[in-house]
Amino acid sequence: MLDPNLLRQQLPETAARLLQARGLQLDISALESLESERKSIQVRTQELQNLRNTRSKAIGMAKAKGEDVSALMAEVAGFADELKEMESRLEVIRTAQSDAALQIPNLPDVDVPLGEDENDNVEINRWGEPRRFDFEIKDHVDLGLRDRALDAETAAKLSGSRFTVLRGELARLHRALAQFMLDIHSVTHGYTEVNVPLIVNPETMQGTGQLPKFEDDLFSLQIGEHKRYLIPTSEVPLTNIVRDEIVDASQLPLRMTAHSMCFRAEAGSGGRDVRGMIRQHQFEKVELVSIALPSQSDDELERMTRAAETVLEKLGLPYRRMLLCTGDMGFAAAKTYDLEVWLPSQGMYREISSCSNCRDFQARRLQARFRNESGKPELLHTLNGSGTAVGRALVAVLENYQNADGSVTVPAVLVPYMGGTTEILSAGE
């Protein structure tokens, strides 16, 4: 969440302009009204507390002299009633201010381009040349039809739409991709591999910004009297590891990676990418998370994005890096790079990784801190990125490495993970 002082003490018009660029109309008058009432009630509360203390001392002195204190006691009782009312109202206002703050997205960095949607994103660079095919291109769904290696029909029987069953060599290739990514990030890039819970509590979801604003996009379940959520990404538990912690600055940056199932209701994306594995309710991802000093976070974003790019380059998949505009960034992000991989069947680049610097936005919710040189606790910066989405990587490999007979050549870096297999979905298998 944003620093409350930004909305209370500084000129809110500055924040309003930046947030408007993110598609949010900030109701400045409502915020100012709440703050004005808070200040007024707080002043009156302090006055009542002082009056109560003064009159209480007067009662003690009067009693010592044997004087009648009934009038003073009645006055103190009146102060107590009003004080209770003021304190109750103050709590309501503070809750309203906190609730409002939890609905406000992060402020974009100064170098983030202004824009409304993905059409206003800025291309930074490209790698690789899309392959030229001398035969009719199949999409990943048609390629996976052989021996029902990719089976949406059975998945629909089991769970409903936007689920997939993978079989045989295709399931193994999917697993190989995840193992390959984990090895690259843990061995080559120095991220510590972590195995995290897939079910978390509401506090954990709020810490990274999924709650309260995006509850409709989450899968929830009731365990006894407690509500729990299936994670939409392992960013959630990984980042929350430092919740309510003061991390030793000498250990920073703290870099973590995890391979996990991810679950998203995708409440607002009806009709988009319903065919195949592009947009699923359940998918797998290798996540990258970095917990950093404020002075480190800019470099960490570049390093993290480069780590994700390395995966695509080793797989030989053409991609481009995009700097997202203000209107296309995620709720908690201050700056985001998307990596988009080339999909031959669509003739376009599609997102496969998103790497974001959230600065202190999540850390303020998490109360994740370090001690600065003066020994004073200070908020950390948090970053997260896909390193990459396993299902979409599978889609990209199938389509970019397809052959005329419908078989798919296994990228060289994955052959050791496939037990030496160099081709899948071959005729007769």
Side-chain angles (χ1 to χ4, degrees):
M1 60 192 297
L2 298 179
D3 184 349
N5 291 327
L6 182 68
L7 302 174
R8 286 201 303 234
Q9 298 173 5
Q10 300 178 17
L11 292 176
E13 287 80 4
T14 303
R17 284 195 298 271
L18 289 171
L19 293 171
Q20 186 174 8
R22 299 207 58 179
L24 177 73
Q25 295 295 331
L26 186 62
D27 191 341
I28 297 175
S29 62
L31 291 173
E32 289 179 339
S33 177
L34 280 172
E35 178 60 11
S36 176
E37 187 176 2
R38 184 195 67 80
K39 287 180 178 179
S40 176
I41 291 176
Q42 191 159 310
V43 167
R44 180 56 181 164
T45 298
Q46 292 171 346
E47 289 176 350
L48 289 169
Q49 289 170 338
N50 291 333
L51 286 170
R52 181 186 59 187
N53 294 338
T54 300
R55 296 299 189 272
S56 294
K57 289 180 182 178
I59 289 172
M61 293 172 63
K63 283 184 176 180
K65 296 177 182 178
E67 298 175 353
D68 182 12
V69 296
S70 57
L72 286 171
M73 292 184 69
E75 190 177 12
V76 168
F79 292 154
D81 290 341
E82 186 180 355
L83 184 59
K84 184 177 181 180
E85 181 182 341
M86 290 293 102
E87 289 174 341
S88 176
R89 179 57 186 160
L90 189 59
E91 182 62 27
V92 170
I93 292 173
R94 285 173 173 164
T95 298
Q97 288 180 315
S98 177
D99 289 346
L102 289 173
Q103 298 286 342
I104 298 174
N106 202 355
L107 296 177
D109 283 356
V110 294
D111 60 339
V112 171
L114 299 178
E116 295 183 2
D117 54 35
E118 60 186 18
N119 296 313
D120 297 316
N121 295 339
V122 176
E123 182 175 322
I124 303 300
N125 62 267
R126 295 189 182 196
W127 183 92
E129 289 292 330
R131 175 184 169 189
R132 295 179 181 272
F133 292 85
D134 58 4
F135 56 87
E136 184 177 354
I137 297 171
K138 294 182 178 180
D139 70 8
H140 69 284
V141 178
D142 289 335
L143 289 166
L145 289 178
R146 180 170 290 167
D147 297 329
R148 300 176 73 190
L150 192 159
D151 187 353
E153 183 178 345
T154 298
K157 178 179 71 174
L158 300 174
S159 303
S161 62
R162 296 197 185 185
F163 291 90
T164 302
V165 169
L166 299 178
R167 292 188 177 90
E169 291 176 323
L170 197 55
R172 186 174 188 180
L173 182 61
H174 186 268
R175 172 164 55 90
L177 280 163
Q179 291 177 320
F180 163 70
M181 293 175 194
L182 278 177
D183 285 348
I184 286 290
H185 295 314
S186 60
V187 177
T188 304
H189 299 138
Y191 288 82
T192 299
E193 185 176 347
V194 183
N195 190 293
V196 295
L198 303 182
I199 300 173
V200 297
N201 56 35
E203 293 80 9
T204 299
M205 282 293 190
Q206 181 173 298
T208 42
Q210 280 73 28
L211 290 179
K213 190 172 178 64
F214 301 104
E215 183 156 14
D216 288 345
D217 289 327
L218 303 172
F219 283 110
S220 63
L221 59 157
Q222 198 74 25
I223 303 178
E225 298 179 355
H226 305 288
K227 192 171 188 178
R228 295 291 184 265
Y229 295 88
L230 298 176
I231 64 170
T233 163
S234 54
E235 167 209 341
V236 174
L238 285 174
T239 308
N240 271 270
I241 286 174
V242 295
R243 188 176 79 209
D244 297 324
E245 300 281 344
I246 297 181
V247 182
D248 187 339
S250 66
Q251 297 178 358
L252 300 170
L254 179 63
R255 301 180 181 123
M256 297 173 284
T257 185
H259 165 231
S260 76
M261 293 283 188
C262 305
F263 305 89
R264 297 184 186 177
E266 299 280 11
S269 59
R272 296 184 59 191
D273 299 316
V274 294
R275 176 177 167 84
M277 296 180 65
I278 296 295
R279 192 177 294 274
Q280 299 269 280
H281 288 312
Q282 174 187 309
F283 59 97
E284 295 179 39
K285 189 151 63 87
V286 173
E287 188 74 4
L288 303 173
V289 162
S290 183
I291 310 298
L293 297 171
S295 60
Q296 298 170 332
S297 66
D298 286 333
D299 290 340
E300 278 298 296
L301 178 60
E302 299 299 326
R303 185 184 190 280
M304 178 180 288
T305 307
R306 185 65 197 128
E309 288 176 336
T310 300
V311 169
L312 300 178
E313 290 174 12
K314 287 185 176 295
L315 289 171
L317 298 173
Y319 70 87
R320 64 179 184 176
R321 183 196 287 207
M322 305 293 291
L323 175 60
L324 298 197
C325 70
T326 51
D328 200 32
M329 290 196 305
F331 180 77
K335 181 177 181 178
T336 298
Y337 291 120
D338 268 9
L339 301 183
E340 298 179 346
V341 69
W342 178 256
L343 294 186
S345 69
Q346 298 184 16
M348 62 187 299
Y349 291 93
R350 296 299 305 269
E351 179 201 339
I352 193 171
S353 171
S354 188
C355 299
S356 299
N357 187 351
C358 299
R359 300 204 178 275
D360 63 7
F361 185 85
Q362 291 178 326
R364 181 168 287 104
R365 291 172 174 241
L366 298 165
Q367 281 302 289
R369 298 166 293 170
F370 71 99
R371 292 194 186 277
N372 59 27
E373 293 180 353
S374 302
K376 182 180 178 180
E378 186 177 333
L379 292 171
L380 292 159
H381 280 194
T382 64
L383 303 93
N384 63 80
S386 309
T388 63
V390 181
R392 292 193 179 190
L394 179 66
V395 169
V397 167
L398 291 176
E399 295 197 3
N400 282 279
Y401 283 88
Q402 65 180 289
N403 301 311
D405 64 355
S407 65
V408 174
T409 300
V410 176
V413 292
L414 296 181
V415 171
Y417 295 89
M418 294 288 292
T421 299
T422 58
E423 186 177 277
I424 64 170
L425 304 179
S426 301
E429 294 187 6

